[in-house]
Amino acid sequence: MADDAATAGRTMTGAQVRRWEEVLRNITEMLPAGPACVVVDGVDQQSLDFTERLAATLHAAGRPCARLSETDPSAGEDAWYAGRTAETVALAHGPHWRAHPPQSGWDVVIWLRASPGGHGSRGNAEPDADIVVDLHDPNWPVIRHVAARLADPSRWYITENRAFFATRAASWDTRFGDDLPAYTAAITDSGIPRDGVVLDVGCGNGRALPALRQAVGPQGAVIALDLTPEMLEQARVKGRAEHAALVLADAGRLPLTHASVDAVFAAGLLMHLPDTEQGLRELARVTRPGGLLVLFHPSGRIALAARHGRTLRPDEPLAKEPLRRSMRRTGWKLTTYDDPAHRFLAIGTRR
């Protein structure tokens, strides 16, 4: 793996090198002050490479770092306690270490999300991680989750989401173009009001915009909002901007007045927000009483989980009862919940 990593490092572009540096620097700054025990888990070889990179970044930042033994947790723990200082970070990697923490436990668990089915991939190990890093592209790491106790989302959420989607924008329809009829069917089924104002939050490259325009008609208004400039540019390139007003903004801080829209359409949005209920609350703020919230994905939850190599958990935000409770707490009433293999569609009404 060391040779593979070196080869990858030689072939990375300047932008890819900077992306790695930014992710590692951000994680270094997120680690708690004082002595800390950190384990990196995920695909075996990637976790080793990532841990070595993180150790080098810690050293460069002036933070003492001790690498725990790969094969003998007890021996590694003894060395860690013997050599630690007030700021030393003990770093380990792999599932064996994660299952055998030092006496004080792990202060931070970092999970590397990789392609499903890869050697050492264990999708169900992700939910308990404090930091999740997407490594589907080994040359383009992206932070996808950080525990609130380590960092406020404002420190990482916008930068990392843009990094995730910017590189995928141009090829999005090539990868998922077959989903377009599912968007049209979901919008038709949702009952978005004619002549109303509809907000497409997280619109991406505008795949839903023609169907949303058809739903509200020529007298209605469609607002398409996304966090990633490259996605909005693709909406223009594909001619979808003619159906809507495009807005570059964060779904967590919508640039709209209270009770200004009749319906919100959100395809795949909630899974990308750092706080589900805060996001739902912001969507409720801009929606008129009696207005609609349409949550959609062109794959059902079971099918989507299988695609990502993991098993669903009953406490996930989009499971029926957790979603119902979250909606109730944030100003919505769940009225429709449809989760077959071919789509996910949940509709709420603004209370």
Side-chain angles (χ1 to χ4, degrees), residues 15-39:
Q16 290 169 336
V17 170
R18 290 190 294 275
R19 175 94 281 261
W20 262 104
E21 290 173 347
E22 183 174 32
V23 166
L24 292 167
R25 183 173 61 252
N26 285 343
I27 291 176
T28 295
E29 294 173 355
M30 291 172 185
L31 298 182
C37 295
V38 179
V39 63

Side-chain angles (χ1 to χ4, degrees), residues 276-278 280-282 284-285 325-332 350-351:
T276 299
E277 292 198 0
Q278 181 177 327
L280 288 170
R281 193 171 291 111
E282 177 67 356
R285 181 186 67 80
R325 291 192 294 270
S326 292
M327 281 193 165
R328 185 171 60 246
R329 286 192 289 262
T330 56
W332 301 97
R350 179 70 168 95
R351 295 190 282 110

Side-chain angles (χ1 to χ4, degrees), residues 297-304 307 338-344:
H297 196 283
S299 296
R301 294 172 57 247
I302 292 176
L304 186 62
R307 184 191 305 172
D338 187 36
D339 189 23
H342 69 282
R343 75 172 184 187
F344 173 85

Side-chain angles (χ1 to χ4, degrees), residues 13 26 37-38 41 50 52 69 89-90 97 103 108 114 125 164 169-170 188 216 253 264 274 319 323 334-335 340:
T13 66
N26 285 343
C37 295
V38 179
D41 193 10
F50 190 96
E52 296 296 342
S69 166
V89 175
W97 263 110
Q103 292 177 357
V108 178
F164 182 82
T188 299
V216 300
R253 295 177 177 84
V264 174
L323 181 60
L334 181 64
T335 57

Side-chain angles (χ1 to χ4, degrees), residues 123-149:
N124 289 338
E126 175 177 319
D128 298 326
D130 300 297
I131 298 174
V132 176
V133 179
D134 186 291
L135 273 179
H136 282 82
D137 180 351
N139 285 339
W140 196 260
V142 181
I143 298 171
R144 303 302 288 144
H145 166 77
V146 178
R149 65 182 178 82

Side-chain angles (χ1 to χ4, degrees), residues 250-261:
D250 176 12
R253 295 177 177 84
L254 297 171
L256 299 171
T257 58
H258 286 63
S260 56
V261 305

Side-chain angles (χ1 to χ4, degrees), residues 261-347:
V261 305
D262 299 293
V264 174
F265 181 80
L269 174 72
L270 291 191
M271 65 184 71
H272 294 292
L273 298 180
D275 187 322
T276 299
E277 292 198 0
Q278 181 177 327
L280 288 170
R281 193 171 291 111
E282 177 67 356
L283 299 181
R285 181 186 67 80
V286 303
T287 306
R288 298 185 180 111
L292 297 178
L293 171 61
V294 182
L295 303 176
F296 169 72
H297 196 283
S299 296
R301 294 172 57 247
I302 292 176
L304 186 62
R307 184 191 305 172
H308 291 288
R310 64 182 186 85
T311 302
L312 288 177
R313 290 164 43 132
D315 60 347
E316 293 183 3
L318 289 180
K320 187 174 183 177
E321 290 310 312
L323 181 60
R324 187 191 305 279
R325 291 192 294 270
S326 292
M327 281 193 165
R328 185 171 60 246
R329 286 192 289 262
T330 56
W332 301 97
K333 179 181 179 181
L334 181 64
T335 57
T336 298
Y337 189 90
D338 187 36
D339 189 23
H342 69 282
R343 75 172 184 187
F344 173 85
L345 180 65
I347 301 175

